[in-house]
Amino acid sequence: MHHAYLLRPQNSVIVSRMLPCGLQITSTGPTSIEKASGETVKLDCQFTLAAEDSGPLDIEWSLQPSDNQKKEEVVIVYSGDRAFEHYYEPLKGRVHFNSPDPKNGDASMNIMGLKATDTGTYQCKVKKVPGISSRKILLTVMVRPSKPRCYAEGQTHAGKDMVLRCSSVEGTQPLQYIWERTTGNKLLPPLAVLDPVGGTMSLRNATEAASGTYKCIAKNRIGTEECLVEVNITQPPNTAGVIAGVVICILLVLILLALLLFCCCRARNKKKYEKEIAYEIREDVPPPKSRVSTARSFTSVGSQRSSLGSMSPSNLHEYTKPQYDKIPSEEYERPPSHAPIPPPSRMAGPNLSRMGAIPVMVPAQNRDGSIV
């Protein structure tokens, strides 16, 4: 009994052969494969059997852990002339044997719809007692760059510095960014500074000649994506004119506010003055006399006149005889500055003669006023 080992340098190919019998893996393809996400990959595992290998045939593909603390995950198994393809949940429905009958010497495995998480080291192990052989393949699933985002930072005025940025969110490293100009003379500005890793292009002391459309290309080993950004360099605005305009606008606003405040105060003072004048006028006007007392005064005067008109020689002495026992009417208005006139005293006839009075004959009258 003897053992034979076949080793290749740098773990690029690991093929072991245990030869108590003739089972061996004959695949000579690459042991390191790079594929883009979404594609399909075939992990090759061809083998041959010898007459001495009389035991049942078992084929097993497993995903080797990247960390020694983790266990390997069984992906797919062929045993008892049956294939079992639903061991590993992340690859469920996307993995199967390349041959419908692997016992014929083709234990290769196909993985469809590759994802970045499918990256890892896969091992093919073929066992037919007493023979056992295995082979490992490193699979790297690469993601092409996602569509990058291009934009400009900084002031777009002549004489200023600005930066054009380009970035892809997804993509297997290393990513490289390339800037091109698509308009004009298609040459980058002479003072442009490029960063192919960070994806930036700095334009120092930019001029109007730098205006145009620029294209950024995000690139890795499996694909490219690009985006466009428009740059428009203009002359800086007249700062003094802008400041003067702002100052003038502020002054106009202040003047309008002052005029509005003045008009409001003036209207308020005018209204207050009108109210004060109205109060003064009301205080100067005397209260009106009572209409009832005035009517009574005219009635009293009228009655006196009618009495004088009906006098006769027979009742003259009765009229001239003052009525001292009557109280003057309350409605009769008498000037406050004049004292009441004292009633005339009765004088005898001799006294009147001494005073020069002339006797007058007064005809007698009846009570109804007729002369007797």
Side-chain angles (χ1 to χ4, degrees):
M1 181 183 296
H2 65 279
H3 296 274
Y5 298 93
L6 176 62
L7 298 177
R8 294 192 179 184
Q10 300 179 354
N11 330 318
S12 59
V13 177
I14 303 175
V15 178
S16 62
R17 184 185 177 191
M18 299 180 180
L19 287 177
C21 302
L23 190 155
Q24 62 177 339
I25 294 177
T26 59
S27 295
T28 58
T31 57
S32 179
I33 300 174
E34 292 181 352
K35 284 288 185 177
S37 61
E39 294 182 350
T40 298
V41 65
K42 175 185 175 183
L43 303 183
D44 194 50
C45 185
Q46 305 289 333
F47 67 92
T48 59
L49 296 173
E52 295 85 357
D53 301 326
S54 58
L57 177 65
D58 291 327
I59 302 173
E60 178 185 280
W61 277 94
S62 61
L63 177 62
Q64 302 299 300
S66 57
D67 186 354
N68 293 331
Q69 301 297 326
K70 297 180 180 180
K71 65 176 184 177
E72 66 179 17
E73 298 286 348
V74 177
V75 175
I76 190 172
V77 172
Y78 179 85
S79 179
D81 295 335
R82 290 184 57 189
F84 301 91
E85 301 176 348
H86 304 297
Y87 276 90
Y88 187 49
E89 188 65 26
L91 290 175
K92 185 177 180 180
R94 298 190 293 122
V95 61
H96 58 83
F97 282 104
N98 183 62
S99 172
D101 190 5
K103 68 181 180 182
N104 292 329
D106 185 7
S108 302
M109 177 180 68
N110 295 332
I111 302 176
M112 301 177 294
L114 288 172
K115 301 179 180 179
T117 54
D118 297 337
T119 297
T121 300
Y122 293 84
Q123 175 179 266
C124 172
K125 182 187 293 184
V126 181
K127 180 174 66 172
K128 189 173 177 64
V129 178
I132 299 176
S133 184
S134 64
R135 181 174 190 251
K136 292 182 178 179
I137 301 175
L138 175 62
L139 172 65
T140 302
V141 179
M142 303 181 65
V143 179
R144 65 181 300 156
S146 61
K147 187 173 182 61
R149 175 174 174 258
C150 298
Y151 59 96
E153 283 185 354
Q155 299 183 11
T156 58
H157 299 315
K160 302 294 183 178
D161 295 342
M162 67 179 304
V163 179
L164 303 183
R165 295 188 179 277
C166 177
S167 175
S168 289
V169 178
E170 297 179 354
T172 302
Q173 299 294 334
L175 279 175
Q176 184 180 10
Y177 297 95
I178 302 171
W179 283 96
E180 297 178 357
R181 188 174 183 178
T182 61
T183 58
N185 55 13
K186 297 186 178 182
L187 296 177
L188 296 178
L191 297 180
V193 179
L194 301 175
D195 181 2
V197 177
T200 63
M201 180 174 67
S202 301
L203 301 178
R204 302 185 183 277
N205 194 20
T207 62
E208 294 185 27
S211 299
T213 303
Y214 292 83
K215 178 172 67 175
C216 171
I217 302 172
K219 178 182 179 182
N220 63 7
R221 286 178 289 177
I222 61 170
T224 62
E225 283 290 346
E226 60 186 40
C227 61
L228 299 175
V229 60
E230 186 75 23
V231 176
N232 186 20
I233 306 297
T234 59
Q235 290 296 326
N238 187 358
T239 307
V242 173
I243 294 175
V246 172
V247 172
I248 291 173
C249 290
I250 294 175
L251 290 177
L252 289 176
V253 171
L254 293 177
I255 291 173
L256 290 176
L257 291 176
L259 288 175
L260 182 61
L261 183 62
F262 173 76
C263 293
C264 292
C265 293
R266 185 175 181 182
R268 185 176 179 182
N269 293 335
K270 184 177 180 181
K271 189 174 181 181
K272 184 177 179 182
Y273 176 74
E274 290 177 352
K275 287 183 178 181
E276 292 178 354
I277 293 298
Y279 291 150
E280 291 178 0
I281 293 175
R282 291 180 182 179
E283 292 176 358
D284 293 342
V285 175
K289 295 180 180 181
S290 175
R291 293 183 179 181
V292 177
S293 61
T294 306
R296 290 180 180 179
S297 299
F298 281 110
T299 304
S300 176
V301 174
S303 63
Q304 292 179 5
R305 288 180 180 177
S306 62
S307 301
L308 290 174
S310 62
M311 285 195 308
S312 61
S314 60
N315 60 7
L316 184 60
H317 64 280
E318 294 181 2
Y319 181 81
T320 57
K321 187 177 181 179
Q323 302 177 1
Y324 295 103
D325 54 350
K326 292 184 179 180
I327 299 174
S329 175
E330 294 177 359
E331 290 82 4
Y332 180 74
E333 294 181 1
R334 181 180 299 154
S337 61
H338 295 83
I341 302 173
S345 61
R346 299 182 65 178
M347 302 179 68
N351 293 331
L352 291 172
S353 299
R354 290 176 185 173
M355 293 175 64
I358 302 173
V360 178
M361 294 297 293
V362 179
Q365 293 181 357
N366 292 331
R367 290 182 177 180
D368 55 0
S370 61
I371 299 175
V372 179

